[in-house]
Amino acid sequence: MPLFEYPQLAFTQIALIVISARWMLRRNDELPLLLSFLLFYVSSFRYWAVANGFNIWVNLEQFGLAPVTNQSATDALQYIVLGQLCTVGTYMLRQKLKIPVVDRQYIGFSPFLNWLRPKVILFGVFCLPLVIVAQNSVKAQLAEGRSAAFQISSYLQQFPLILTGIATLLLCLWKVIGMPLLREKIATIIILYCITNFSFNISGRFQFIGWLATAGIILSSSYKSKTRLIILALAAVVGLGIFGVAGTLRGTDEIDQQAAWHRLFSAEDANMLDGFALLKDAFPRLVPFRLGMAHLEILMRPIPRAIWPEKPVGGGYLAEVGLVDPETGSTLGFSPTFYGDFYSEGGIFGILFFAPIYGAILAAIVQRSAWLHPFAGVLIRAILCSSMVPLLRGGDLPGIFAWIGMSFWPCFLLLWLRRKEFKWWPGFFYRNGYNNPTISTYSD
């Protein structure tokens, strides 16, 4: 029996959204708000949509899993809320800085921008046809009957994700006035248009939402927190609308606006609460707790199967109950949020252990980004917020971190190669009213 009922849990998540919005207004830090809003949509809102008849719970009795009910969903919701409290609470305790507003006129660093601009544009032009070749190659191999898990390189399958990193770098350059010439702006617009077309599909919906989040963070970085909040709210509405439209394209090439609205309003594609309830039924009744293996596999996943032919196939308990076919890699899919992944490690103790750790790591990254040159700081926070979309979705931590790595390795490479030039820039802090960056300050 759940210890708390749905109204109490939903109120807690709504309160966390309000607290996170106030946090953003005071510290110009959007990450807790992003986390709280997404978790509310995929859990409390999902419960409300089903309870009011707009949708139904996922039922996988044929795979030996108990059907989701209002009671099991409430039980799952309280675990998600517990993890959310641990993550957001730890983050707010650890993150002490106000994020500076980017002053584009004071950005400086023009030699670096002049060095980076042509390289990113050329790299984007070079990668676009390679993405087409990679996609066609994967399709051809699948048509020949090859196994996606064993006979097709995962690096080849995930190569198109590089477009997210290219789009991020181009948007950062544009924001810091790194595109002074008309021809450069035209080339950038063309590349971003192509990236949008490539990522706007069923399988790439989360990739598209990810780089849309990136765009919102970058393009709003030069505005004060109140304006940023409005911009990001509008971006969230547009993003959810596009996400619903992409979902209606299953099995058809026609866009049905009414169906898209229904999918959005009924949380059709946000069935992570169902996923957690099903996962909780499987652990430990059908599958033993993983005791750290879900995180250890993050280090194992990048090893090519050509080097390690016996490498275990991902999928966790989904493979055990028959929801994942190891030969094709196909999934009859749902996700349990990353708190579901934590639960699979050790039940409630897994959540209590990993949720604060993730909160502390996120806080450390954001604090570090505030000390760097504004180009690097905005880039890091954009990557972080984009990564939160698949991370909060959960379901396969090694696959999620592979997604992050394949999407943003050009950004990580740039941050590493130019790390000495990206170090703390005191003039930027002093210009924005900081006498000591280690002391928390607030905006009105």
Side-chain angles (χ1 to χ4, degrees):
M1 287 290 293
L3 294 177
F4 300 95
E5 297 300 326
Y6 169 73
Q8 299 167 306
L9 298 171
F11 175 80
T12 301
Q13 288 198 309
I14 293 172
L16 284 172
I17 292 177
V18 174
I19 293 170
S20 299
R22 179 171 172 78
W23 174 274
M24 180 176 175
L25 291 174
R26 301 183 70 189
R27 299 206 179 190
N28 198 29
D29 181 1
E30 66 282 331
L31 195 140
L33 182 59
L34 174 65
L35 188 150
S36 298
F37 174 77
L38 288 177
L39 284 174
F40 171 79
Y41 180 68
V42 304
S43 54
S44 287
F45 184 83
R46 168 69 179 176
Y47 185 101
W48 178 87
V50 174
N52 285 274
F54 296 106
N55 215 313
I56 59 174
W57 298 117
V58 173
N59 189 334
L60 297 176
E61 286 185 279
Q62 67 271 31
F63 294 99
L65 296 173
V68 181
T69 63
N70 286 359
Q71 180 173 331
S72 65
T74 303
D75 190 35
L77 179 59
Q78 66 182 359
Y79 282 90
I80 292 176
V81 172
L82 172 64
Q84 184 179 353
L85 286 169
C86 291
T87 304
V88 175
T90 303
Y91 181 91
M92 290 183 172
L93 288 173
R94 303 280 298 183
Q95 207 295 85
K96 302 297 184 181
L97 294 179
K98 185 184 75 174
I99 306 301
V101 176
V102 173
D103 186 345
R104 297 197 300 169
Q105 302 301 325
Y106 190 67
I107 235 14
F109 224 29
S110 57
F112 164 75
L113 298 180
N114 292 334
W115 171 85
L116 179 63
R117 179 175 57 252
K119 292 176 173 58
V120 175
I121 293 176
L122 289 175
F123 187 60
V125 172
F126 176 73
C127 284
L128 285 173
L130 289 183
V131 167
I132 297 175
V133 172
Q135 289 178 331
N136 290 337
S137 176
V138 171
K139 290 178 182 178
Q141 293 182 64
L142 289 174
E144 293 173 0
R146 295 197 175 190
S147 168
F150 293 98
Q151 296 176 310
I152 303 178
S153 170
S154 296
Y155 289 96
L156 182 65
Q157 297 179 61
Q158 295 186 346
F159 178 76
L161 294 174
I162 195 176
L163 297 178
T164 302
I166 295 172
T168 302
L169 289 172
L170 288 172
L171 288 169
C172 274
L173 278 168
W174 190 298
K175 188 60 181 179
V176 299
I177 320 180
M179 300 286 182
L181 301 179
L182 179 61
R183 64 174 180 269
E184 295 166 346
K185 294 179 180 178
I186 294 175
T188 299
I189 291 173
I190 293 174
I191 294 173
L192 292 176
Y193 175 77
C194 293
I195 291 173
T196 302
N197 283 338
F198 279 131
S199 58
F200 183 69
N201 53 61
I202 297 171
S203 60
R205 287 180 299 161
F206 285 93
Q207 177 190 3
F208 183 85
I209 292 296
W211 92 258
L212 191 63
T214 299
I217 300 301
I218 294 172
L219 297 179
S220 66
S221 61
S222 62
Y223 298 99
K224 292 184 178 180
S225 54
K226 292 180 182 179
T227 306
R228 290 193 71 219
L229 185 60
I230 296 173
I231 294 174
L232 294 177
L234 293 174
V237 172
V238 173
L240 288 174
I242 294 176
F243 187 79
V245 169
T248 64
L249 296 178
R250 293 178 183 272
T252 179
D253 293 328
E254 298 182 0
I255 296 177
D256 187 335
Q257 294 183 353
Q258 185 175 357
W261 169 250
H262 179 266
R263 293 182 75 92
L264 177 64
F265 191 72
S266 65
E268 175 74 23
D269 299 298
N271 53 10
M272 288 70 174
L273 182 62
D274 312 47
F276 195 114
L278 293 168
L279 177 142
K280 188 173 180 297
D281 177 62
F283 284 94
R285 184 174 67 87
L286 300 177
V287 187
F289 289 123
R290 308 201 65 195
L291 303 178
M293 281 303 299
H295 285 80
L296 183 60
E297 285 182 8
I298 296 173
L299 303 177
M300 298 163 53
R301 185 67 61 89
I303 302 174
R305 195 166 292 278
I307 298 176
W308 185 9
E310 302 302 321
K311 184 176 72 170
V313 180
Y317 87 100
L318 297 177
E320 295 287 340
V321 299
L323 280 169
V324 171
D325 182 353
E327 292 295 326
T328 64
S330 61
T331 306
L332 301 177
F334 54 85
S335 300
T337 76
F338 66 163
Y339 297 119
D341 295 312
F342 300 163
Y343 186 90
S344 73
E345 296 280 42
I348 189 173
F349 299 105
I351 294 176
L352 292 174
F353 179 77
F354 285 106
I357 290 178
Y358 273 65
I361 292 173
L362 292 172
I365 294 173
V366 171
Q367 280 205 124
R368 178 59 180 168
S369 73
W371 285 72
L372 300 178
H373 184 281
F375 177 90
V378 171
L379 179 62
I380 290 173
R381 290 190 295 276
I383 293 172
L384 196 60
C385 289
S386 179
S387 301
M388 291 305 295
V389 176
L391 191 60
L392 289 175
R393 180 191 183 195
D396 178 24
L397 284 179
I400 291 167
F401 280 93
W403 184 97
I404 295 171
M406 291 298 290
S407 296
F408 296 110
W409 69 260
C411 304
F412 297 143
L413 182 62
L414 174 66
L415 290 168
W416 174 256
L417 293 177
R418 312 292 289 205
R419 61 189 181 280
K420 292 183 179 179
E421 297 163 89
F422 286 146
K423 284 185 177 179
W424 177 47
W425 196 22
F428 184 71
F429 276 97
Y430 297 142
R431 184 175 178 86
N432 282 274
Y434 290 82
N435 293 322
N436 185 348
T438 62
I439 298 177
S440 173
T441 57
Y442 301 91
S443 58
D444 294 331

